[in-house]
Amino acid sequence: MNALPAGCWHCGEALPAEPPLARIAGAERAVCCQGCRAAAEWIDQLGLGDYYRLRSGPAQRAPDAEESRRSAAAWERPELARHVVRDLGAGRRESVLLVEGVRCAACVWLIERALGALPGVASVQVNAGARRARLAWDERECSLPAILDAFARAGYRASPLDAAALDDARKRESRAALKRLIVAGFGAMQAMMYASALYLGAFDGVDTGTRDFFRWLGLLVATPVVFYAARPFFAGALRTLKARRLGMDVPVALAIALIFGASVVEAFIGGADVYFDSVSMFVFFLLVGRYLEMRARHRAGDLSDALARLTPVFADRYRADGTLERVGAVELLPGDRVHVAEGSAVPADGVLASLRCRVDEALLSGESAPLEKRRGEELVAGSVLVEGPAELSVRRVGADTVLAGIVALVTRAQTERPRLAEAGERAAAGFVARVLVLATLTAIGWSLVDPARAFTATLAVLVVSCPCAFALAVPAALTRALAVLAKNGVLVVRSDAIEGLATATHVVFDKTGTLTEPELALGEIALPPAAGDAPARRAEALALAGALARGSGHPVAQAIHHAAGDTAAGTVDELRAEAGGGLSGRIGGRRLRLGHARFALQQDTIDPALEDAVVLAGDEGLVAAFHLSERLRADAAEAVAALQAQDLDVAIASGDAAPKVAAAARALGIGRWHARQQPADKLARLAELRAGGARVIAVGDGINDAPVLAGADVAVALASGAELAQASSDVVLSGQRLSALPEARRIARETLAILRQNQRWALLYNLSVVPLGALGFVPPWLAAIGMSVSSLGVVLNAMRVGRHREPVRPVPAIRVLETPA
């Protein structure tokens, strides 16, 4: 019988005396436990055995199968699942999971294929750096427990993302990085001390035994530095090479291996020089830079973590007798009444049941001033009660809250890989190839001129020209920008939108609900000449229109529905929404249409008096005409002026009547406007602009304007409340603040400028120091310092994004739009 390997086939841990055997590809492999056996056999059964060839290191020990099933089954309980599972509609569900044990690209490859093979799983996205996975599935074919169980069977521990899981993951990452840094720091200090003795002793005629003694001490302290502290560099290099790519870890790992290997050889043969101090200092300075980068990433890139912590752990719920009981926030249900004390966070989305209060929604919407809320208005989970107390009637909990929607949007942006980042990685890979060629030429050149200096010069080139700063230039700036924008209430759903915002030339606004307040007021109800009591006819027309409007979320429909109130007629059959036209349906056997006059009357020629009215008509003709009044948003003029000051061409494309669109354009100082635009007309206009070389930002309400927004280079939606999670766009302005758009574009332009600065600095640094290293003027330890300082400089420069704020302009008064007679 063949001898068993020293470690588990799956995780590499020590084997017991009688290890279980897993049958993999027809061969028996020894594993340490039944969990690893189940994971290895399941991976093989799925046809994913290439994972063991691609991985850069052993997997994490597989969790116990029975324990994992029990933990996963707990998420079957609706009161728990609703806090981590979002409803995407049409039976689709989504959740973000924290995954332990993701170590390399092979892990990502395995997870995406193993989970993608589950019935009902629509998409799997894994972010190895953040150790997160975002999954979408059909609840009719799959469930969260089944997904968690599949992770366990593949050998990974997955848990739904919450504040506790985030804190644990961050602590583990920080602790591991700090331990490596301490080992490297201690080793560098000791190695330098021993090397100093050698350097000083060289002038005093030190004997060979003493010299060798200090060399062996240097080897002793450098060994854990190389094999433990520097392990991430070797793992990263191996990972990229297996993927047939060149990453920034390749020259670093090569330099460390060469320095340490040559020093060991010199120590054994009693050669002239050893470099244990250089390799220890090199690793230490590298780890210092990466540790600071990690700290900066934690501060700048984990806004979703801060958002996840906003929801309080406990809530005070009213019992049936009016007394309070302290319960976990996860136990709240829609319909519960909750007491929120002053200074406390709101535990769920709901409606204010008490008279009034003031809340701080700064982290949610970017609105710095506390907002006053009155009875019947919505409070969102995570907002802080500044003035209270308040009584809340719970409407939405868990993953259905506004806060959960914001976290999902931010996580989605952080999971995606923007074009700029991919281009930066390709450039870094090309730079690494050139570095390796240059190092080879340096070695050959010095071998011909002065062989004694060939090794140190080659090492200096490898170290000093490592493209760490170049590779960090893009992700550092983009990560900071995403966080700054989110804190300002601008949620970037697609990270490529930052580049689109910065390079845009045109902005096209919708009018209704975008430039104007979403709440419209019903003014006059005009009736056609007919016999009968006019007030009764008006009431009947409003009731019919209110019933039709009840099925739409458009601001115009909502204004009519709210005006009708409880008088809205009964059930509407065959309700249909006609894009750019209005609503149609059958009430009590009567066919009715509500919308633009041409749509409602089914005529091409209409009375000019009906041009700007919302018309209710039936097969018999006109029933009533509703005239609505609207107001510009408080910050609309400021936003438009700021965009024009940024040399953007601003226009309006609206489906409303020409007099109303003209009034809005005149009030805002917009020269180009287009009225009575159907969605197809708006799309054609956007296509015309883009065909002429323009880069267009389209701004709408995110739901009603979704087809039009899809035709722009950057789609910006204004959304608040429950709409945040539904908005179909690249960028969402939470809190419906138009003034956030020019600020977002300023930050985007600043991000691109700093990104270019970082790239130019990295390129200039390498072009300046590589010749010095190749000529032998830079020792390896100084090269390590220079490379670390350049990388740290890139990160610190990226942290400047969003630090500068332009002076706030006075907000003009809200204006009521008046149309010319």
Side-chain angles (χ1 to χ4, degrees):
M1 180 177 176
N2 294 333
L4 291 174
C8 172
W9 167 256
H10 180 73
C11 72
E13 292 194 10
L15 294 171
E18 296 183 4
L21 297 177
R23 181 164 290 278
I24 309 296
E28 289 187 337
R29 305 288 186 182
V31 292
C32 64
C33 63
Q34 294 298 332
C36 284
R37 175 185 176 184
E41 290 182 344
W42 190 60
I43 291 170
D44 182 62
Q45 290 167 11
L46 290 174
L48 303 176
D50 280 346
Y51 161 71
Y52 293 105
R53 177 179 60 83
L54 295 172
R55 65 181 182 175
S56 61
Q60 176 178 275
R61 183 169 183 165
D64 179 78
E66 191 60 35
E67 180 185 348
S68 298
R69 273 192 289 272
R70 283 199 303 270
S71 300
W75 294 101
E76 288 279 11
R77 297 166 56 192
E79 61 269 25
L80 291 179
R82 68 169 178 264
H83 290 272
V84 295
V85 177
R86 295 183 60 240
D87 185 356
L88 301 179
R92 286 169 56 87
R93 299 289 185 266
E94 180 188 64
S95 186
V96 178
L97 307 178
L98 192 67
V99 186
E100 296 184 34
V102 179
R103 305 192 178 197
C104 60
C107 296
V108 175
W109 180 86
L110 173 62
I111 291 171
E112 289 180 346
R113 282 156 180 78
L115 274 295
L118 287 180
V121 173
S123 67
V124 183
Q125 289 182 316
V126 181
N127 185 330
R131 294 178 176 84
R132 296 179 191 176
R134 185 165 64 90
L135 294 97
W137 68 91
D138 190 327
E139 67 167 351
R140 291 162 293 194
E141 300 180 62
C142 195
S143 65
L144 180 59
I147 288 171
L148 296 176
D149 184 55
F151 269 102
R153 293 174 67 185
Y156 300 92
R157 290 181 176 87
S159 57
L161 194 63
D162 59 15
L166 290 168
D167 284 336
D168 289 344
R170 176 172 292 184
K171 286 177 182 176
R172 282 193 297 271
E173 182 184 11
S174 298
R175 191 181 299 118
L178 192 58
K179 284 195 295 186
R180 295 185 191 279
L181 184 60
I182 290 173
V183 169
F186 178 80
M189 179 178 64
Q190 294 297 318
M192 279 300 298
M193 184 175 67
Y194 301 143
S196 298
L198 287 175
Y199 298 149
L200 295 174
F203 298 98
D204 300 330
V206 67
D207 62 276
T208 304
T210 303
R211 183 200 67 180
D212 290 344
F213 174 71
F214 278 103
R215 286 184 170 184
W216 293 120
L217 287 177
L219 173 61
L220 181 66
V221 298
T223 298
V225 172
V226 172
F227 288 97
Y228 172 71
R231 183 176 177 181
F233 303 113
F234 291 110
L238 187 60
R239 182 165 60 243
T240 55
L241 290 174
K242 283 189 174 181
R244 298 181 180 180
R245 293 185 291 111
L246 290 174
M248 62 183 180
D249 284 332
V250 172
V252 172
L254 184 58
I256 294 172
L258 286 175
I259 297 173
F260 185 74
S263 299
V264 171
V265 171
E266 290 287 300
F268 272 100
I269 66 175
D273 296 302
V274 293
Y275 307 97
F276 296 123
D277 56 330
S278 295
V279 73
S280 300
M281 288 182 63
F282 180 37
V283 173
F284 174 68
F285 285 123
L286 280 173
L287 290 176
V288 167
R290 293 210 173 178
Y291 183 77
L292 294 174
E293 292 160 17
M294 180 198 69
R295 292 292 301 272
R297 172 167 49 85
H298 284 177
R299 287 196 305 270
D302 291 335
L303 177 74
S304 56
D305 299 8
L307 289 168
R309 296 186 182 91
L310 286 180
T311 304
V313 178
F314 298 104
D316 293 324
R317 182 172 61 187
Y318 285 99
R319 296 188 180 94
D321 61 2
T323 60
L324 292 174
E325 62 173 339
R326 176 62 60 93
V327 298
V330 296
E331 299 178 59
L332 293 177
L333 296 172
D336 286 345
R337 290 187 307 124
V338 176
H339 172 82
V340 184
E342 185 173 306
S344 300
V346 177
D349 287 0
V351 173
L352 181 64
S354 50
L355 186 62
R356 61 178 296 276
C357 70
R358 289 169 65 83
V359 294
D360 181 0
E361 297 182 356
L363 195 54
L364 293 167
S365 66
E367 180 60 58
S368 58
L371 304 175
E372 182 167 339
K373 301 285 185 177
R374 297 189 178 275
R375 179 178 291 157
E377 293 187 340
E378 187 178 78
L379 298 181
V380 294
S383 56
V384 178
L385 196 66
V386 176
E387 184 181 317
E391 181 181 330
L392 176 74
S393 176
V394 176
R395 294 290 178 85
R396 293 181 299 274
V397 296
D400 295 327
T401 62
V402 173
L403 180 61
I406 294 175
V407 172
L409 290 177
V410 174
T411 303
R412 189 183 310 169
Q414 292 175 341
T415 304
E416 289 183 347
R417 296 176 57 76
R419 289 190 300 268
L420 284 172
E422 293 176 350
E425 288 184 1
R426 287 194 298 270
F431 194 84
V432 169
R434 288 189 287 273
V435 166
L436 296 177
V437 170
L438 181 59
T440 303
L441 293 177
T442 301
I444 294 173
W446 278 107
S447 297
L448 299 175
V449 176
D450 186 356
R453 301 179 62 184
F455 184 68
T456 56
T458 303
L459 288 180
V461 170
L462 280 175
V463 174
V464 82
S465 60
C466 172
C468 295
F470 198 82
L472 285 170
V474 175
L478 290 181
T479 299
R480 171 67 180 176
L482 288 173
V484 170
L485 288 170
K487 288 177 181 177
N488 289 337
V490 181
L491 305 177
V492 180
V493 181
R494 186 175 60 87
S495 49
D496 281 330
I498 292 179
E499 181 183 11
L501 281 173
T503 58
T505 58
H506 290 66
V507 181
V508 177
F509 284 97
D510 178 48
K511 180 184 72 69
T512 305
T514 303
L515 290 171
T516 62
E517 295 284 354
E519 297 83 14
L520 303 176
L522 177 61
E524 180 190 0
I525 302 178
L527 300 172
D533 180 32
R537 291 172 56 207
R538 285 192 181 91
E540 180 189 7
L542 183 58
L544 293 171
L548 283 172
R550 187 167 48 206
S552 172
H554 194 280
V556 171
Q558 287 297 300
I560 294 175
H561 172 59
H562 290 152
D566 296 335
T567 67
T571 306
V572 180
D573 298 320
E574 302 175 22
L575 180 66
R576 292 183 57 189
E578 188 75 28
L583 300 162
S584 65
R586 191 179 297 276
I587 301 177
R590 183 181 179 186
R591 169 67 64 180
L592 294 169
R593 292 174 295 277
L594 177 70
H596 295 313
R598 289 179 177 82
F599 164 76
L601 295 170
Q602 300 288 288
Q603 297 174 1
D604 292 330
T605 304
I606 60 169
D607 186 340
L610 301 177
E611 182 68 32
D612 62 347
V614 180
V615 173
L616 177 66
D619 293 337
E620 72 278 11
L622 177 66
V623 175
F626 302 91
H627 294 273
L628 304 176
S629 64
E630 58 186 3
R631 299 182 304 169
L632 289 175
R633 290 183 181 271
D635 59 350
E638 175 193 356
V640 169
L643 291 170
Q644 290 172 335
Q646 294 177 0
D647 297 326
L648 286 170
D649 187 307
V650 181
I652 300 176
S654 173
D656 211 342
K660 288 189 175 182
V661 180
R666 186 169 55 253
L668 296 172
I670 298 175
R672 291 195 307 115
W673 56 269
H674 308 276
R676 289 299 185 210
Q677 297 285 290
Q678 302 289 333
D681 299 327
K682 295 181 182 180
L683 283 171
R685 198 162 299 281
L686 294 179
E688 181 184 347
L689 287 172
R690 296 176 71 185
R695 295 186 62 83
V696 185
I697 301 172
V699 188
D701 67 8
I703 300 175
N704 300 304
D705 297 322
V708 178
L709 294 178
D713 293 287
V714 181
V716 179
L718 280 81
S720 65
E723 300 170 356
L724 274 170
Q726 305 168 18
S728 174
S729 63
D730 304 320
V731 178
V732 178
L733 305 181
S734 66
Q736 304 202 14
R737 296 186 306 115
L738 269 181
S739 57
L741 180 57
E743 176 67 8
R745 185 168 187 270
R746 186 192 66 77
I747 292 173
R749 294 173 70 182
E750 184 182 13
T751 300
L752 249 63
I754 287 179
L755 187 152
R756 303 303 182 203
Q757 287 176 11
N758 284 345
Q759 290 180 324
R760 284 194 295 269
W761 155 250
L763 186 61
L764 180 63
Y765 163 78
N766 281 284
L767 290 177
S768 301
V769 298
V770 166
L772 297 176
L775 292 174
F777 295 129
V778 181
W781 63 269
L782 184 58
I785 295 176
M787 190 208 65
S788 300
V789 169
S790 69
S791 300
L792 185 57
V794 163
V795 174
L796 294 177
N797 191 39
M799 295 300 289
R800 294 194 303 112
V801 172
R803 292 287 172 86
H804 169 70
R805 283 185 173 273
E806 295 180 348
V808 179
R809 304 179 184 182
V811 178
I814 298 175
R815 283 176 277 187
V816 178
L817 297 183
E818 297 178 354
T819 58

